[in-house]
């Protein structure tokens, strides 16, 4: 697999922070959010961003932060409207499944309501292509996980899953930086071997090997007095 990328412009990224347009969580919902955020891995997030940058061939202006909260903010700001994700998924899709970037969902707008709706639509388009690419639902994420910034950890998980799957495809020409996908190792046994296995008593049923009563005594000796 070769590392070949083409330089192309990414249409405007809309500066609307949807996470700031909803009321802050409280109680159990807030506790759950804190738990999820605690599992966010800044190194994994940067790895995802650098891979996306390489794949789309466009400088995302990734900034390195030491503070975990700032890393989360930066990760969210770059991906929040779905534009980068759509540009990225288009690079790994076969020719007959490429995205049409001329549709209204990818056109800029100055209306906040329209921009919000289109951001949701773009994330939805990305997730639909993720499913078509063969990524399981457990490795994908829901629109609100990114749109409202409720689970950025799962967004990283999804990007990682795409990377692992992409490396198995013959038409993938990006860097191989993700773990290798597990492959099936099917075993076959002859009828003779299967029959022989039925004669073996598994240790799960216990064993009496080495069992002995030598040296054991129970109760007090009976004393007989004349």
């Amino acid at each position: 697999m070769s590392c070949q990328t083409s330089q192309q412009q990414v249409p405007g990224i809309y500066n609307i922070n949807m996470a700031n347009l909803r009321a802050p969580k409280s109680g159990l919902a807030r506790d759950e959010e804190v738990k999820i955020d605690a599992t966010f891995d800044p190194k994994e997030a940067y790895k995802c961003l650098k891979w996306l940058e390489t794949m789309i061939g466009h400088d995302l202006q990734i900034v390195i932060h030491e503070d975990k909260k700032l890393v989360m903010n930066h990760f969210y700001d770059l991906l929040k409207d779905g534009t980068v994700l759509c540009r990225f998924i288009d690079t790994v899709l076969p020719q007959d499944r490429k995205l049409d970037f001329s549709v209204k969902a990818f056109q800029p707008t100055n209306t906040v309501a329209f921009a919000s709706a289109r951001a949701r639509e773009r994330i939805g388009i990305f997730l639909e292509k993720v499913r078509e690419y063969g990524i399981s639902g457990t490795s994908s994420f829901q629109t609100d996980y990114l749109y409202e910034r409720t689970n950025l950890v799962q967004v990283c998980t999804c990007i990682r899953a795409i990377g692992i799957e992409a490396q198995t495809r013959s038409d993938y020409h990006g860097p191989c930086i993700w773990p290798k996908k597990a492959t099936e190792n099917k075993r076959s046994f002859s009828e003779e071997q299967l029959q022989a296995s039925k004669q073996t008593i598994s240790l799960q049923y216990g064993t009496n090997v080495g069992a002995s009563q030598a040296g054991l005594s129970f109760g007090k000796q009976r004393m007989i007095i004349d």
Side-chain angles (χ1 to χ4, degrees), residues 160-172:
R160 176 188 175 92
I162 297 170
I164 293 173
E165 177 63 30
Q167 290 177 171
T168 67
R169 307 291 181 95
S170 59
D171 57 351
Y172 175 69

Side-chain angles (χ1 to χ4, degrees), residues 91-186:
T91 65
V92 297
L93 292 173
Q95 286 297 327
D96 60 339
R97 294 188 179 276
K98 294 288 186 181
L99 294 176
D100 180 5
F101 289 101
S102 65
V103 300
K104 187 178 293 185
F106 296 100
Q107 303 309 310
T109 176
N110 294 323
T111 306
V112 174
F114 287 165
S116 301
R118 290 180 187 181
R120 268 188 174 276
E121 187 177 357
R122 285 189 293 271
I123 296 173
I125 291 172
F126 167 75
L127 293 175
E128 179 60 32
K129 291 300 180 180
V130 166
R131 284 189 288 271
E132 291 180 12
Y133 198 62
I135 305 303
S136 67
T138 54
S139 295
S140 186
F141 62 90
Q142 299 176 19
T143 300
D144 284 344
Y145 285 2
L146 176 58
Y147 182 75
E148 294 191 354
R149 192 184 166 168
T150 57
N151 194 339
L152 297 182
V153 175
Q154 191 62 26
V155 178
C156 283
T157 298
C158 180
I159 296 172
R160 176 188 175 92
I162 297 170
I164 293 173
E165 177 63 30
Q167 290 177 171
T168 67
R169 307 291 181 95
S170 59
D171 57 351
Y172 175 69
H173 302 293
C176 299
I177 62 173
W178 303 105
K180 186 178 179 181
K181 185 178 181 179
T183 55
E184 183 181 20
N185 185 14
K186 192 174 181 179

Side-chain angles (χ1 to χ4, degrees), residues 14-22 76-77 80 147 149:
Y14 312 105
N15 297 315
I16 297 175
N17 191 332
M18 298 311 302
N20 292 335
L21 299 182
R22 60 184 174 85
Y76 172 71
D77 288 340
K80 62 186 178 183
Y147 182 75
R149 192 184 166 168

